[in-house]
C-alpha cells in the first residue's frame, strides 16, 4: 500500500457533519451522555493543531507501513485488513499529548470517572478504503455484571469478549455497572458517511447487556467535522462502519479509565525514555505513573510516583552494599 492508495485528500467542512448529536455547552453534553451515551463536541481542536497532527499521523502511518509495521491489530481485526493501527502516539509526536489533555474531553472524562482517571490508550485507527465493518461491541466488556448474593457470577479473570451476556439495548430494570471507561474519537479530517464513521446504539450503555453478533441492531453513524470529537461512555455499543469511499479516515482514539483498572497501553513501560523525561508530574499522574492508594507502587507504598526498576533496591549484602 503506497501513499496514493492511502488516499487522504481533505473534504470541505460542512455544518451538517455536526447534526444532530453535537452539544454546544457542558450541561447539554452531560445530558446527552446520560441519555444517549455519547455526544459530538464541536471544534474542540484548533485549526493549527489539527493540521500539525494530521500531517504527523500520515507521515508516521506511511513510514510504519513501509517498514512493515502494519501488523498491529485487535483481536477482532485480522492483520491482513486494510485497517491500520498507529499505536502509542505519545512516542510519535510531542503534540499528541494535547489530545490526552484537552480541557473539554478530559473534563467530561473526570466528570464520569472521577478526578484521578488515567489515560488508557491514545492510538490512531486509520480505516483505508475497503476496510470492513467492525462488530458492535462494548469497551467495558471486562467489568463483571452485578449479581445477587448466592446467584452464579462471572469469575473476573475468566471474562472474555465473547461472553454470552447478550440482550436488548434497552434500559435495564436491574442494577448495572457504572462507567469505568470513556472514549473520545478526534477527527483530523472531515469524516463523511462513506468513510467508515463509528456507529453507535443510543441508550445501550444503560442496558447492562452486550450486543449479540447474530442480531441485526439499529445504529446511527454520525459523520464528524474536522477538529471535532465524539465522546462516549465505555458501556455504549459501538463499532466502525465499513469504508466504502475513496478516502482514508484519519482519526485518533483516546480512552480513559479509573486508576484501579489495567490500561490498554502499558504507558509507563511503553513510553520512550526521552518522552518520560519531559513529562510534568501532572502528566505522569494522567499516564499512570502515580501510585493510587498504594496500587501501582514499585517499592515504596508511600511514594507519590512509581520508580523504574533501575532506581529500586536490588540484592544487598550483609554490609548493606549492593551485590553485583
Amino acid at each position: 500500500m503506497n501513499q496514493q492508495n492511502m488516499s487522504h485528500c481533505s473534504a470541505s467542512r460542512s455544518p451538517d457533519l455536526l447534526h444532530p448529536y453535537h452539544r454546544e455547552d457542558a450541561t447539554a453534553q452531560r445530558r446527552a451522555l446520560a441519555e444517549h451515551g455519547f455526544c459530538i463536541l464541536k471544534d474542540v481542536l484548533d485549526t493549527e493543531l489539527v493540521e500539525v497532527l494530521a500531517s504527523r499521523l500520515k507521515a508516521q502511518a506511511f513510514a510504519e507501513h513501509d517498514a512493515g509495521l502494519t501488523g498491529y491489530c485487535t483481536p477482532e481485526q485480522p492483520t491482513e485488513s486494510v485497517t491500520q493501527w498507529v499505536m502509542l502516539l505519545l512516542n510519535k509526536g510531542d503534540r499528541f499529548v494535547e489530545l490526552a489533555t484537552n480541557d473539554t474531553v478530559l473534563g467530561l472524562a473526570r466528570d464520569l470517572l472521577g478526578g484521578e482517571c488515567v489515560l488508557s490508550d491514545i492510538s490512531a485507527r486509520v480505516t483505508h478504503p475497503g476496510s470492513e465493518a467492525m462488530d458492535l461491541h462494548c469497551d467495558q466488556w471486562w467489568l463483571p455484571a452485578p449479581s445477587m448474593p448466592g446467584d452464579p457470577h462471572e469469575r473476573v479473570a475468566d471474562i472474555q469478549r465473547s461472553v454470552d451476556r447478550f440482550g436488548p439495548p434497552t434500559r435495564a430494570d436491574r442494577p448495572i455497572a457504572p462507567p469505568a471507561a470513556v472514549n473520545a474519537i478526534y477527527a483530523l479530517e472531515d469524516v463523511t458517511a462513506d468513510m467508515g464513521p463509528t456507529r453507535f446504539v443510543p441508550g445501550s450503555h444503560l442496558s447492562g447487556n452486550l450486543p449479540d453478533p447474530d442480531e441485526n441492531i439499529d445504529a446511527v453513524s454520525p459523520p464528524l467535522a474536522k477538529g471535532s470529537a465524539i465522546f462516549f461512555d465505555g458501556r455504549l455499543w459501538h463499532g466502525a462502519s465499513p469504508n466504502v469511499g475513496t478516502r482514508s479516515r484519519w482519526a485518533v482514539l483516546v480512552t480513559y479509565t479509573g486508576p484501579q483498572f489495567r490500561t490498554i497501553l502499558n504507558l509507563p513501560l511503553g513510553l520512550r525514555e526521552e518522552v518520560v523525561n519531559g513529562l510534568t508530574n501532572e502528566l505522569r499522574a494522567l499516564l499512570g505513573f502515580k501510585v493510587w492508594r498504594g496500587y501501582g507502587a514499585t517499592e515504596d507504598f508511600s511514594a507519590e510516583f512509581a520508580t523504574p526498576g533501575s532506581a529500586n533496591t536490588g540484592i544487598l549484602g550483609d554490609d548493606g552494599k549492593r551485590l553485583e
Side-chain angles (χ1 to χ4, degrees):
M1 187 185 300
N2 57 32
Q3 293 194 21
Q4 286 70 41
N5 291 332
M6 295 168 65
S7 174
H8 56 266
C9 58
S10 297
S12 59
R13 294 191 68 174
S14 172
D16 62 5
L17 290 181
L18 297 168
H19 180 78
Y21 294 103
H22 73 281
R23 297 294 182 266
E24 297 288 351
D25 61 82
T27 299
Q29 291 161 4
R30 287 158 180 75
R31 188 165 56 244
L33 287 169
E35 180 181 355
H36 302 303
F38 73 101
C39 65
I40 293 178
L41 310 173
K42 180 182 178 182
D43 293 336
V44 290
L45 304 178
D46 64 53
T47 301
E48 184 268 343
L49 179 60
V50 171
E51 297 302 326
V52 168
L53 295 184
S55 176
R56 179 79 282 278
L57 175 58
K58 292 172 186 176
Q60 186 73 29
F62 298 146
E64 290 192 8
H65 178 271
D66 291 345
L69 301 176
T70 57
Y72 301 117
C73 61
T74 65
E76 300 81 15
Q77 194 70 54
T79 55
E80 64 270 16
S81 170
V82 288
T83 297
Q84 182 180 5
W85 287 90
V86 183
M87 306 291 287
L88 228 173
L89 292 177
L90 298 183
N91 280 340
K92 298 169 182 179
D94 54 8
R95 298 199 64 184
F96 283 113
V97 73
E98 295 178 52
L99 300 183
T101 59
N102 179 271
D103 287 341
T104 301
V105 167
L106 185 53
L108 287 173
R110 286 174 168 158
D111 275 353
L112 288 182
L113 302 177
E116 293 192 69
C117 68
V118 297
L119 186 70
S120 179
D121 191 10
I122 180 166
S123 300
R125 184 178 187 274
V126 185
T127 55
H128 299 302
S131 291
E132 298 180 356
M134 176 183 279
D135 287 344
L136 287 173
H137 61 282
C138 165
D139 284 347
Q140 207 169 290
W141 59 271
W142 36 261
L143 198 64
S147 61
M148 293 297 294
D151 286 352
H153 63 274
E154 296 172 293
R155 297 196 302 174
V156 294
D158 292 340
I159 295 175
Q160 302 180 36
R161 280 184 176 270
S162 58
V163 64
D164 185 1
R165 203 195 305 159
F166 305 142
T170 51
R171 187 185 184 97
D173 58 2
R174 66 190 189 284
I176 63 172
V182 295
N183 302 285
I185 298 174
Y186 291 97
L188 301 186
E189 289 190 347
D190 286 349
V191 179
T192 54
D194 62 345
M195 293 169 64
T198 303
R199 64 196 195 281
F200 301 93
V201 181
S204 58
H205 65 302
L206 301 178
S207 70
N209 296 321
L210 298 178
D212 187 336
D214 295 326
E215 292 288 332
N216 186 18
I217 302 169
D218 290 336
V220 297
S221 304
L224 191 62
K226 177 171 65 175
S228 299
I230 292 182
F231 185 93
F232 59 101
D233 189 310
R235 300 171 297 176
L236 188 70
W237 300 3
H238 66 282
S241 301
N243 188 335
V244 297
T246 59
R247 296 179 295 115
S248 298
R249 185 190 77 159
W250 298 92
V252 173
L253 172 68
V254 174
T255 300
Y256 304 90
T257 63
Q260 64 271 63
F261 296 103
R262 190 169 183 173
T263 57
I264 296 172
L265 294 178
N266 189 331
L267 292 163
L269 181 63
L271 288 176
R272 294 176 61 83
E273 184 177 3
E274 66 268 21
V275 176
V276 174
N277 290 341
L279 296 175
T280 63
N281 281 347
E282 182 179 10
L283 275 172
R284 286 175 185 269
L286 183 62
L287 302 184
F289 288 80
K290 188 174 182 180
V291 178
W292 184 82
R293 314 291 193 268
Y295 287 83
T298 50
E299 186 165 27
D300 180 0
F301 287 122
S302 65
E304 186 176 9
F305 292 94
T307 52
S310 59
N312 294 327
T313 305
I315 299 173
L316 299 179
D318 293 338
D319 58 359
K321 295 181 179 180
R322 185 185 299 272
L323 295 181
E324 301 298 338

